[in-house]
Amino acid sequence: MALYATAASVLAGVESRRGSIKGLVYASSFQNVKQLYALVCETQRYSSVLDAVITSAGLLRAEKKLRPHLAKVLVYELLLGKGFKGGSGGRWKPLLDRHQARLKAELARLKVHRGVSKNEDLLQVESKPGPASQVPRFVRVNTLKTCCDDAVDYFKRQGFSYQGRASSLEDLRALKGKCFLLDPLLPELLVFPAQTDLHDHPLYQAGHLILQDKPRACSACQASCLPAVLLAPPPGSHVIDACAAPGNKTSHLAALLKNQGKIFAFDLDAGRLASMATLLARAGVACCELAEEDFLAISPSDQRYRQRLVYSTCSLCQEENEDVVRDALQQNSGTFRLVPVLPSWPHRGLGTFPGAECCLRASPETTLTGGFFVAVLERVEVPSSVSWAEAPAPPPEAAPRRKRRRRAAAPGAPPRTEQEGKR
């Protein structure tokens, strides 16, 4: 069945660091994205368990034409997933049926060996940590509800030791125990040791903290904060979030706007928009207008959607990142230019076209973040600001410029677009 072959291909891509699960799933031609995404995520979650069962059962020795990633997906579905019901297993069902008894016996033996009775309990046994598990936990302070100093004081009263602002990535790697730091580049971003879980923390429950990339316990929060910070919309601006759900970046934009202005948030999925509305309400966002609509269907000549664009993905694939930016610049020759942002960021765009070094890349190895890509484009006819290109904060002299542009795009300030690739 195409589902299992595609899931195996996505798993192989993730392990070879060609991109994130979400990015590779959306880049595949499989129509049921939700089904594929769920299967890949669950297979990866039980990866060490499946490896142990497959090895003990000798499956790959017996079936030499069966590739490891496909074997892992199939064994997950057989033992831990929905099983092969009806014809869902396709040509793979007879193969797995030949080894079903042995695979189930090895899973049962593994539970006995680890002293657990449920499949879920197998995940509690920690395997050797990989690079992703060593990524620090980045937590954004929601300035719509509190300030960074108050959040720091709260954690200190709970017994955490505040180490001040980090000066290098080595400071982040050295974090242990109940110590935490302020991010060296981004304001309002706190950094905790790997494996720190704050989902039950009262500040998070009250919307004072934002845990971006919740499925991984906010491990990619630093990189995913970059789009809003680099867009740097001054209060009063109109901003478009073209692929908005689940809404973490949208809430960040609202904080930068201080709830002054307007955010037009687009997403095609009604369920994701409903979840996003809940998140924004908890975060105290009051300047956002949600639209269950395809942003690409909007007229590009609409004056609301002009000026500055941030393109971001949670992928490391060149075809989703540099290639997209290159094609956009070529198709709009002379209209947009790449803005050189955050020169201190160590991981730049791949040199596939002139100016690609203006883009930012992120990865666990080079920046201690999740995989990410950001490019900032600006209309040529709009005078650029040196401070926008060199610092991740709105320039203090932005007020008179807002007033001048507001007349050109009344009744709001100039719109800026935060376009996240549909990962």
Side-chain angles (χ1 to χ4, degrees):
M1 186 178 179
L3 169 63
Y4 303 122
T6 306
S9 177
V10 171
L11 273 178
V14 172
E15 290 186 11
S16 62
R17 302 199 179 282
R18 295 199 304 269
S20 66
I21 292 180
K22 190 189 297 184
L24 294 174
V25 164
Y26 274 97
S28 73
S29 58
F30 194 76
Q31 291 186 343
N32 193 333
V33 172
K34 290 184 178 179
Q35 182 186 23
L36 176 60
Y37 184 78
L39 177 59
V40 174
C41 286
E42 287 302 297
T43 302
Q44 188 184 57
R45 195 160 73 103
Y46 281 95
S47 180
S48 61
V49 173
L50 295 168
D51 284 338
V53 170
I54 290 171
T55 300
S56 299
L59 179 62
L60 297 178
R61 292 196 304 272
E63 303 290 345
K64 297 188 182 301
K65 293 184 178 180
L66 185 61
R67 308 313 301 164
H69 292 101
L70 180 57
K72 192 177 294 189
V73 171
L74 294 172
V75 173
Y76 168 81
E77 189 76 310
L78 175 69
L79 300 182
L80 307 170
K82 297 180 180 180
F84 301 115
K85 299 178 181 178
S88 65
R91 66 190 181 96
W92 301 113
K93 187 177 185 301
L95 184 151
L96 269 294
D97 283 344
R98 294 199 296 269
H99 302 276
Q100 181 173 342
R102 177 74 175 179
L103 289 167
K104 288 185 175 180
E106 291 301 334
L107 178 62
R109 184 175 291 111
L110 184 64
K111 289 180 183 177
V112 172
H113 177 71
R114 296 188 178 181
V116 300
S117 58
K118 299 179 181 179
N119 293 335
E120 189 79 15
D121 293 339
L122 289 169
L123 299 176
Q124 304 302 318
V125 181
E126 302 229 349
S127 58
K128 183 179 179 180
S133 67
Q134 299 307 303
V135 173
R137 298 317 189 202
F138 297 93
V139 181
R140 178 167 61 83
V141 176
N142 179 15
T143 54
L144 291 176
K145 286 199 164 185
T146 187
C147 66
C148 198
D149 287 344
D150 287 349
V152 168
D153 288 343
Y154 191 99
F155 279 110
K156 288 165 67 174
R157 290 197 300 272
Q158 288 192 316
F160 285 82
S161 175
Y162 179 53
Q163 306 293 304
R165 182 180 293 276
S167 59
S168 67
L169 289 179
E170 293 306 316
D171 291 344
L172 306 187
R173 288 191 178 96
L175 276 175
K176 293 181 180 179
K178 297 189 72 173
C179 296
F180 71 107
L181 293 158
L182 190 63
D183 186 78
L185 291 176
L186 304 181
E188 289 86 43
L189 196 61
L190 304 179
V191 191
F192 292 82
Q195 311 304 327
T196 303
D197 188 357
L198 297 172
H199 289 100
D200 295 325
H201 196 278
L203 288 185
Y204 169 70
Q205 298 292 338
H208 291 206
L209 300 179
I210 304 295
L211 308 183
Q212 298 186 222
D213 196 28
K214 182 177 178 180
R216 298 188 203 169
C218 63
S219 65
C221 186
Q222 186 195 43
S224 59
C225 281
L226 284 172
V229 169
L230 295 179
L231 190 66
S237 296
H238 283 187
V239 182
I240 294 90
D241 196 341
C243 303
N248 292 308
K249 297 183 187 71
T250 316
S251 68
H252 194 184
L253 288 165
L256 295 176
L257 291 172
K258 300 180 181 178
N259 262 339
Q260 301 170 25
K262 177 70 71 174
I263 300 174
F264 300 95
F266 293 81
D267 204 277
L268 284 172
D269 192 307
R272 284 164 58 85
L273 275 179
S275 299
M276 177 178 174
T278 301
L279 182 150
L280 295 181
R282 183 174 62 189
V285 175
C287 63
C288 188
E289 179 180 305
L290 303 184
E292 186 185 340
E293 193 174 355
D294 185 357
F295 177 73
L296 296 179
I298 302 300
S299 172
S301 62
D302 193 315
Q303 290 295 317
R304 292 179 300 172
Y305 313 133
R306 298 173 65 87
Q307 315 306 341
R308 171 172 279 212
L309 167 73
V310 171
Y311 176 74
S312 66
T313 75
C314 51
S315 167
L316 294 178
C317 297
Q318 176 186 321
E319 58 268 31
E320 295 181 81
N321 299 324
E322 286 86 359
D323 290 358
V324 171
V325 174
R326 180 202 62 207
D327 291 348
L329 290 171
Q330 289 176 351
Q331 293 169 18
N332 298 273
S333 179
T335 304
F336 284 92
R337 72 177 185 92
L338 269 173
V339 179
V341 291
L342 210 57
S344 58
W345 190 261
H347 197 182
R348 314 305 296 189
L350 302 178
T352 57
F353 65 93
E357 67 278 359
C358 295
C359 306
L360 307 184
R361 279 178 161 262
S363 68
E365 297 83 1
T366 58
T367 56
L368 291 183
T369 66
F372 220 80
F373 174 87
V374 186
V376 180
L377 298 95
E378 197 169 65
R379 284 189 179 270
V380 173
E381 65 265 29
V382 178
S384 61
S385 167
V386 174
S387 57
W388 283 349
E390 295 180 351
E397 67 275 16
R401 180 161 46 249
R402 283 205 310 274
K403 183 176 180 181
R404 186 164 57 252
R405 291 182 183 173
R406 187 177 295 117
R407 290 196 296 269
R416 300 185 177 193
T417 304
E418 191 278 311
Q419 165 74 59
E420 181 187 7
K422 293 185 178 181
R423 305 277 72 85

